[in-house]
Structure formats: structure tokens, C-alpha cells
Amino acid sequence: MCGIVGYVGKQKAGPILLDGLKRLEYRGYDSAGLAIHQRKGLTCVKKTGPVINLFKETEKCELSGKLGISHTRWATHGGVTTENAHPHVSSDGLFAIAHNGVIENYQSIKRFLLGNGYTFASETDSEVLVNLISYHYRKETCDTDKRFFESVRKTLMHVEGTYGIAVVCVDYPQEMVGARLGSPLIVGIGEEEYLLASDVSAIISRTQNVVYLKDNEVVSITPKNFTISTINRESVDPIVDQVDWAIEESELGIHSHFMEKEIFEQPVSLENSMRGRFSDDGSTANFGGLNLSSQEWRGVDRILFCGCGTAWHACLTAEYLIERFARVPVEVEYASEFRYRNAPLDKNTLFFAVSQSGETIDTLAALREAKRKGFRTLAITNGVGSTIAREADGGIYQHAGPEIGVASTKAFTSQILLSAMVALYLGRLRDMSYTDGCAFAKALKQVPELVARTLEQNEKIKDIAGRYAGYEDMLFLGRQSMFPIALEGALKLKEISYIHAEGYPAAEMKHGPIALISDKCPSVFLAPKCETFHKIVSNIQEIKARTGKVIVVTSEGAEFPADLADDIITVPDAHEALQPILFTIPVQLLSYYIAVERGCNVDKPRNLAKSVTVE
Ligand code: F6R
């Protein structure tokens, strides 16, 4: 949420910042702005709306400076106005800041600053922060070469809340200061240039060498070097990581939207998630980074999965998979609820966080709460070097590649697949036989190919989508492990097409939601070949009797009665436990094509941003 890019080096900062912002736009698109250190001082340009608006605005000015900060905003404090857009400049014009996060004690600081002659042009907490930096700067008596850094450091000691910041000062044409607490910030190390960014995608075109800052670390960057220390002045030995993405992975290529690209990437992303993770004898899964011995795994009596949104749906599928194959009880909680619920947990509970970005603040807080209580914590995340990845005791990287579309797609199927592999691994440590293990591992290896075959239905699904794009309500229904997919289908549809949609267990329909059924509210039924297939067919008949239109997603071997549904999408047969992955593809495509048909901005749905780093 909110994206920051900072640059200092030999090139003109403007184009580099704009390119970075464009790549970070999925973190927020309410407004964008930049502040560049020019010969005559700080030039600040801001504009509401997407980065392209800022781009046009900057064409009107001369931007030649080689040091600058920029920001793309997802509004928290204050409406979407130019005044509230970042960067914010201190009222004396000395400093500019780009800030991601929330300063909780901003009101008391603001009162203090008003009493000291500072004035405010915006409603934001960030403007309070930049003025407090100026206040400390004026009082600072240390050596000139430290004065800027020290004033930022001292300011942060008075701040409650979260921040990832990049700050520039009129008096320091060669230096930028950054810091983080709770909101991500990385340092990019280029050739005679350094960058700050909220995530790797912003700077991947310039460097693959990055340092992931930790909470309470402050960094100073110049064209020649960078130094990191903690807020308490302890020096930090930076660890430089190499990002293994290719630049093309974060570009659209032939696709119209990132969501479309990422849906179609799933055969590859699933293959990558599995790569190198099966045992030599083919009967179980292997994970490098779990940091848990077989004996410790055997001691686990219960697993608690936590996540938000789509990741929470993946947690629900993990429950079915792990309970089925490993017979270990699993509980699933919304991370945002768990962190404040003070839930009683058995002592042998293992905590599993699931998060695509690895930065979702609620999931991170839930993980920290579990750790604080002394529980062993693991994570499934796509965010290499992310805060959740670093703070969990161990975990599994998804290797699904960058997910840029705001609606999560390929990360979701990868999370289900990896949960299935955890179920296999844990099952084999318990009662699952060698033969059953081999059979399930074989089924897992077939998934990418089956997903590719499912994607071949896209033209048919597009056609169906065209006929359903005019509705304003829709139900998604499925039983057992298809219930989380029904929830996911409803979430995808509502978030990108703004159609009201609900996901329900199909048999629950009669306990209330059936009242919604009419010719104005179609239903999407997920009806794979399974134990409850005939029950689902009865549920569909109940809807048809009430004039509701029905789209059925079914599997090849199920032999769904052709005349019962208005539209049928058939996916290949797969191992029953893995069918949720295949059934996800049609609901993703259906939502995508409906949103396109309605003219919605698929990759930038209203009010949303990827990576929710504020509460
Ligand atoms: C929905 C979506 C969100 C995220 C949620 C958690 O399409 O993308 O619901 O799943 O914000 O994000 P991560 O997985 O990054 O923790």
C-alpha cells in the first residue's frame, strides 16, 4: 500500500522515479508525486489519479536533478487531493518526505509543531512527520555531515505507528535518508547509484542487488555509498541479496492486463512452485527451509493457518488437504482477527502464515503474536526477503514470480499446491503409505499440464462472461473443498467488476441465500466428480425451479446432465484433492472477462491496492 521510490546517482532522477512509480502503481493509484533536488532547491510535482497524470504534469517542468524521491498513494489520512498527495514538504521548505504507513500520534505532534510556528497544507500524518524532522534539524548541533541523518533519526524516536520513508533535504544535494518500521523499504545497489523502494519491482530495471531493511533501521544513501544503523545508533552490517527475477517478469508483454498475464502463467508458476521439492523415491515432498525436524513435526498436534483475503481462502483449502492426508487438526483464522483475539492455543500448535506479498500488516502482526506466545511459526509466501519471510522461524517460498495484478491469481493456486505438498509431507510422516504417497506425488506433478488444458477453455468462458456481465448480483456455490473456491470466485468477481457476489457452501443455500435467487441473480456452481456430486445436482435443481440462471463448472468424468445448466464449463479430471486448483481457473477467467466486458480497470480496481501494509 503506497509505493516509494528514491534515486541518487549520475542520471537524471525524474525518468527513473517515474519508471519506478509506474511499476509500483499496483500499491496505490489515488495520486502520485515526486520531489527532486535541483540547483535552485526542491522541485515538487504532484497530481491526483494514476502515475500517467504525474507524467504529463512533469513534462511541463525542467527536471534535471540527480537526487529525488517519489510516491504513489493509497489514501489513508485525508481525501484524494493534490494537497494530500506526497511528497510533503516542511513548511520552511527545507525537507521533503515520501511516506508509507500511519503515524498514530500525529495529532499531538501536530499541536506541538503548530505551537512552534509550523504550518500545514494537507490533512496527512506524513506532513507532520516532515515538519518534525525540520524541527529537530534546527535544534541539531552535531557535525554537519551527520546533521540531516541525526534529525531524521531523532524524529523517529518520537513517532508511534508505522513507516517506510524516503527524505531529502535542501542542504544535502548528495544525500537521501530512509527508514522503516512496519512498512517495507529496500535499498537498491546500482553502478554509482543507489535507490530506495517499497519493493523490488520498482528498481529491477536498474539493479538486482538489494538490501532488505529491517524494522528500526535508518539508511543514508549518496551516489558513492550507503550506511545503515539502527535508530539507537548501532551500526548494521548490510546483507546484500540478489533478486532472481528477470525484468520481463514484471512487464505486460502480449497481455492486456497483468491479471490476464498471471492467470495464463499458472502452468509455469505451479511448475516453479514444485520444482526440486519431491523426494528421490517419489513418495513425499521435500522443503529446504522449514527448520523443523521430523521429530518436531511429529510432535505437532494442531496447525493454525492465518492469512487475509485470497490467502485466507488458500488457508481454508489447506485445512481440507492437511486434515485429509495427515489427519492433523487444522484451524483457520483471519489474521486481522487472530491478532487481537487472544485465542487459547494448545501448546503443540504450529502457526502457519500465508501471504503472497509477505508484507500484509495483519498477517505479520498475527505471526508476531504467535511468536511472542512461544509458538513455532512457518510461512508460505511469494515475497522473497519480505518481512514475514524473515520473521517466521521457517517457511516455503512460492517461486510463483512477481504478481502485479491487484487481484491475486497465480499466487493463490501456488499456495493451494504447496499446502497439498505440506499435506503429503506431513502425511508421510504419519500414516500415509509409500504407495499412496507416490500416487499423490504423481498427481501433483500432473497439475501444471491439467491447468494448461483448463486454460484452453478461455474462449468459451469469455463468451459466457459476455452474457453475464450485465447482472448486479451473483452466487458462487460449492461443497467441501470447493467451498473456498466459491469464496474466491465471489471475491474475484466483486473486487474487479464491482458486482455483488457471495460464496456459500452449496447445501447452506437453503438456509437463507436461496431467498436471493431470481432471474436477476445467477449462480455459479462448482460441481466436480466427487462423493457429493448428486447432492449438488439436487441443489442446482432447486435453483432452476426458482428461475435462477446457472453456470456449472464440472469435471470431465462427472457426466453432468447437459440440460440442467444454462452454461457448462468442463475441466479435466484430476485427483479429487487437487480439483480446487483446476476449478479456480474458470472462476478467475469468468471474473476477468466480466470485468473487461463492463469496462472496469482490472489491474487497478477502485479503492484497492496490493499489499495491505496499513491496518
Ligand atoms: C484479493 C487479494 C487480497 C490479498 C490479501 C492478502 O485478490 O489479492 O485479498 O489476498 O490482501 O495479501 P497477501 O497474500 O499479500 O498477504
Side-chain angles (χ1 to χ4, degrees), residues 308-311 355-358 360 363 406-408 491-492 495 610 612:
C308 298
T310 288
S355 170
Q356 187 285 127
S357 60
T360 299
T363 312
V406 166
S408 186
L491 176 61
K492 286 289 90 92
E495 69 182 333
K610 205 160 182 74
V612 182

Side-chain angles (χ1 to χ4, degrees), residues 267 447-457 556 570-573:
V447 168
E449 164 61 22
L450 295 173
V451 166
R453 277 179 50 204
T454 309
L455 284 165
E456 286 167 13
Q457 301 272 344
E556 271 164 10
T570 309
V571 307
D573 278 328

Side-chain angles (χ1 to χ4, degrees), residues 1 259 306-313 354-364 380-382 388 398 403 405-409 411-412 415 488 491-492 495-496 608-612:
M1 217 149 240
M259 183 176 178
C306 263
C308 298
T310 288
W312 182 75
H313 298 155
V354 180
S355 170
Q356 187 285 127
S357 60
E359 298 293 351
T360 299
I361 194 102
D362 285 323
T363 312
L364 176 61
I380 295 178
T381 180
N382 200 30
I388 288 176
Q398 295 182 229
E403 191 181 72
V406 166
S408 186
T409 52
F412 177 63
Q415 286 159 355
E488 176 62 6
L491 176 61
K492 286 289 90 92
E495 69 182 333
I496 59 168
L608 289 174
K610 205 160 182 74
S611 192
V612 182

Side-chain angles (χ1 to χ4, degrees), residues 12-62:
K12 282 187 183 173
I16 295 169
L17 296 177
L18 286 166
D19 178 65
L21 284 188
K22 195 85 205 92
R23 294 172 191 279
L24 273 195
E25 204 173 11
Y26 62 90
R27 298 181 70 95
Y29 28 86
D30 288 334
S31 61
L34 49 74
I36 295 189
H37 205 299
Q38 311 255 76
R39 222 170 292 133
K40 53 183 188 308
L42 296 175
T43 300
C44 192
V45 189
K46 316 199 240 192
K47 199 73 191 158
T48 53
V51 174
I52 185 73
N53 295 1
L54 174 68
F55 189 85
K56 288 184 191 139
E57 197 67 15
T58 56
E59 282 172 347
K60 300 177 195 156
C61 15
E62 167 72 33

Side-chain angles (χ1 to χ4, degrees), residues 324-477:
R324 172 174 176 164
F325 291 110
R327 309 295 301 155
V328 178
V330 172
E331 281 172 47
V332 177
E333 293 234 19
Y334 281 115
S336 50
E337 293 294 309
F338 173 79
R339 61 181 291 192
Y340 292 116
R341 207 168 72 81
N342 195 21
L345 297 177
D346 291 349
K347 83 171 177 334
N348 295 328
T349 300
L350 175 73
F351 179 94
F352 236 118
V354 180
S355 170
Q356 187 285 127
S357 60
E359 298 293 351
T360 299
I361 194 102
D362 285 323
T363 312
L364 176 61
L367 175 101
R368 286 179 175 160
E369 177 67 2
K371 269 186 97 163
R372 196 193 55 74
K373 288 183 166 166
F375 291 98
R376 185 73 78 121
T377 59
L378 296 179
I380 295 178
T381 180
N382 200 30
V384 175
S386 60
T387 314
I388 288 176
R390 280 187 283 118
E391 294 200 12
D393 297 319
I396 304 170
Y397 276 131
Q398 295 182 229
H399 299 308
E403 191 181 72
I404 312 256
V406 166
S408 186
T409 52
K410 63 175 179 174
F412 177 63
T413 47
S414 149
Q415 286 159 355
I416 303 178
L417 187 81
L418 289 167
S419 307
M421 293 181 77
V422 171
L424 169 64
Y425 175 72
L426 201 46
R428 289 286 292 129
L429 289 177
R430 294 182 174 228
D431 297 327
M432 192 187 215
S433 70
Y434 169 80
T435 319
D436 288 348
C438 288
F440 191 50
K442 193 169 163 209
L444 279 159
K445 289 174 195 165
Q446 286 164 351
V447 168
E449 164 61 22
L450 295 173
V451 166
R453 277 179 50 204
T454 309
L455 284 165
E456 286 167 13
Q457 301 272 344
N458 74 310
E459 284 302 325
K460 179 172 187 183
I461 297 171
K462 192 179 193 173
D463 178 59
I464 296 173
R467 281 182 277 112
Y468 288 82
Y471 289 94
E472 293 306 328
D473 297 282
M474 226 181 256
L475 288 183
F476 285 75
L477 301 155

